[in-house]
Every structure is written in C-alpha cells, then in structure tokens.
Amino acid sequence: MTKRDQLGIFELMVILVLVRLGDNAYGVPICEELEKRTGREAAVGSVYAALERLEEKGFVTSELGEPTSERGGRAKKYFRVTARGLKEVRETQRSLVKLWQRLPELQGERV
Amino acid sequence: MRSDQPPRIAKWLLLHFGSSPNNQSILGDLDERYREAHSHLWYWRQTVYALTAGLWSQVRTQKWLALRAIALGWICWFLMSPLIEGYVFLFLKDETFSRYNPRNWWTLGGSVIQYYDWWFVLIAPFAVSLLGGWLVARTHRRSQRAMVLALFASRCAIAIPVICFLLIGMFVERQYFPGFIKLVIGNAVTLPGILLGGGLFSGSPEAHSSGRRTIAS
C-alpha cells in the first residue's frame, strides 16, 4: 500500500462516522455526528475535502439525492463506505491498537 | 434579530469562488445547517473554511497542473506587460494625442501623477491580468476555477508583502506615498482582473463545477 492510500486522522474520523450513519450519510448528519463525538465544530468544507480524498482512494462512493427546498433546491450527496474502505479501517485499527499496547504513560487513564 | 437567509455576500463568494467539485452540495448543507439556528458569523466562518479547503484540496491533488497555471499566468504577465505598456506609452506621448488630455490629473503627496501614469497604474495591469486569467481558464478547463484562483493566490502572495513593506516605509519616508498608492491601485485592478478574465464573475456558477462524476452505488 502506498503512503497516498493510507488514512489520515481526519479521514479516519470521517469514515468511522460514515460507517455509523449507514444510508443517511450526507454532509449535514456527518458534520453533526463529528461535532457530537469530538466536541469540536466541524467545517463543512474540510469534511468534503476529506470525502473527496477518500473517494479518490476508492474508500467511499457517492450518490446524488433529490433536490430539496430547505437546501435552496440543491441535492444531497450521500456517501457510503466501500468494502476496500472497510478493510482499510480495520487495518488502521489493528496498527493503532498495536501502537497503543504496553504504553505505561497511557495506562490507567480513561478519556 | 437573526435573518432566515444566510449572509448574501458569503453565499455569493462561495457560489462563485468555491472550487470544490462538491460546491453545490456544500452550499446546500450550509443552507440546511444555517436554518437549524446557526449564526451569521458561523456561516462566514464555514464559507472561509470551504473556500480555502476546496482550493487547497484541488491544488494538492493537481500540483503540476497548478504550477503550470501559475507559471502560465506569470509568463503572460512578464511578456505582455512591457509590450502593451511600451506601445501605448509611445502613443500617449504623441503630441497630437496629448492635446486632448489633461497634463496633470491628480496631485498626490507633492508628486504629480501624469495622465499617462494611469495607463501604467490602471489600464495596462488590468488588461494584462484579464488576459492572464483568461489564458489560464482556457487552458485548464477541467479545473478552471481552482487554477484561476491558484494564480490569484500567487499574485496575492507577492503583492501583499510588497504593499506591507511600502506601508511601513511610508511612515519613515513620505516619498514612498505615491509609489504605495500606485501599487495599491494597481493591485486593486489586477486581482479582480484575473478573476474576471478567468470567468469567475460571469456566467452560470454551475458551469464551473468540476466534471467529476458521482459513483452511484
């Protein structure tokens, strides 16, 4: 796997939110879920930039929904994690867990 | 009282200068979230993030294309400026022509700005930047908006430090004042010229959206 295909921290957060949201994953719920889980304001532009990168890597697919009036007649864009994306998330999780193990500085603390 | 409509200028900026391939979805999401009781300030903040993140993402994924666009814009500037300025300067110096023009249009800080200075300060830079923006847009149709904005950003990166330097110098030496004013005016026409030439102000904003296709699952 090339370095370009690896997941960045923010990309990993976005892809985890996509897995959590399932079929209802478009910009607004993605940002709301990110804000709820991280406690920080999510920038819609940054979320889309991450989604574009994920789509380019083949970890995510997208599909346009119907335009709605509350969005000024603009369509929602739904995102879904691909099998390749899920595999990459699992690999990243394994690597992170290995890195986390046997670190006395981080033991005994609950975030 | 909070308005139901998001800030118009911020929305206009994002509509015309947002370079993300998902710009329409971003605008829709921002409208939807704004109506969920977010403030004007929040919308502005999101607009700035969307503009910068969209441009950065496009430049990062198309580094060589962006470098080519910037180089093309600057080469156009260096080649065309002396050409346009030189020929028209000769024309303006012509005595027959000068009879119909006031000799001194404006006196500034003790320095007289000649009528032909306006050509150098306003018209020539505007014409050249218009041409540069147009050329970049025509040669980078796939990412037209992002490439024109990359050229615009490169121009800002050069102009802003020079303006700041002259601004500081102006407080030390008054003689810098006319030069400072000329530089500010010159850039005030050059920067919109690039955007205008690149077609970012005109036409349907949707036409600038990237041609990236969505993948239906």
Side-chain angles (χ1 to χ4, degrees), chain A residues 26-28 31-32 35 41-46 48-49 52-53 55-56 61-64 70-72 74-77 80, chain B residues 15 20-22 24-33 35-36 42 45-46 49-50 53 57 60-61 212 214-217:
Chain A
Y26 72 96
V28 174
C31 290
E32 284 171 351
E35 287 175 357
E41 187 180 288
V44 178
S46 308
Y48 272 96
E52 283 160 23
R53 289 196 296 274
E55 202 169 2
E56 215 137 82
T61 57
S62 65
E63 188 182 2
L64 275 181
E70 77 263 18
R71 297 168 55 82
R74 293 184 175 87
K76 292 173 183 173
K77 196 170 190 182
R80 189 177 291 174
Chain B
L15 193 65
S20 163
N22 293 307
Q24 292 299 314
S25 304
I26 293 174
L27 276 158
D29 287 347
L30 285 181
D31 271 14
E32 196 179 325
R33 291 205 78 194
R35 287 189 174 87
E36 290 170 1
W42 174 88
R45 209 166 45 233
Q46 291 284 339
Y49 281 136
S57 171
R60 208 171 77 153
T61 50
R212 187 184 299 182
T214 55
I215 306 158
S217 57

Side-chain angles (χ1 to χ4, degrees), chain B residues 64-141:
Chain B
W64 292 111
L65 210 62
L67 270 175
R68 193 181 77 174
I70 292 169
L72 188 68
W74 280 95
I75 288 168
C76 171
W77 179 266
F78 283 118
L79 290 180
M80 296 307 290
S81 290
L83 208 68
I84 293 178
E85 285 175 0
Y87 276 114
V88 180
F89 183 56
L90 287 174
F91 174 67
L92 288 173
K93 267 174 67 181
D94 184 82
E95 281 304 309
T96 319
F97 178 79
S98 63
R99 247 188 288 162
Y100 302 104
N101 287 274
R103 275 275 172 199
N104 306 322
W105 275 24
W106 192 23
T107 306
L108 191 73
S111 164
V112 170
I113 294 186
Q114 300 283 340
Y115 67 90
Y116 50 77
D117 280 355
W118 290 100
W119 174 257
F120 292 104
V121 173
L122 281 174
I123 304 160
F126 182 71
V128 176
S129 57
L130 204 69
L131 186 69
W134 178 81
L135 205 63
V136 168
R138 293 284 291 187
T139 50
H140 299 81
R141 285 181 190 272

Side-chain angles (χ1 to χ4, degrees), chain A residues 4 7 16 23-24 32 38 40 44 51 55 65 71 73 79 90 92 94 103:
Chain A
R4 198 178 142 73
L7 283 175
L16 287 171
D23 287 342
N24 190 35
E32 284 171 351
T38 63
R40 279 184 284 181
V44 178
L51 286 165
E55 202 169 2
R71 297 168 55 82
F79 293 89
R90 282 194 206 99
T92 309
R94 267 196 291 274
L103 288 175

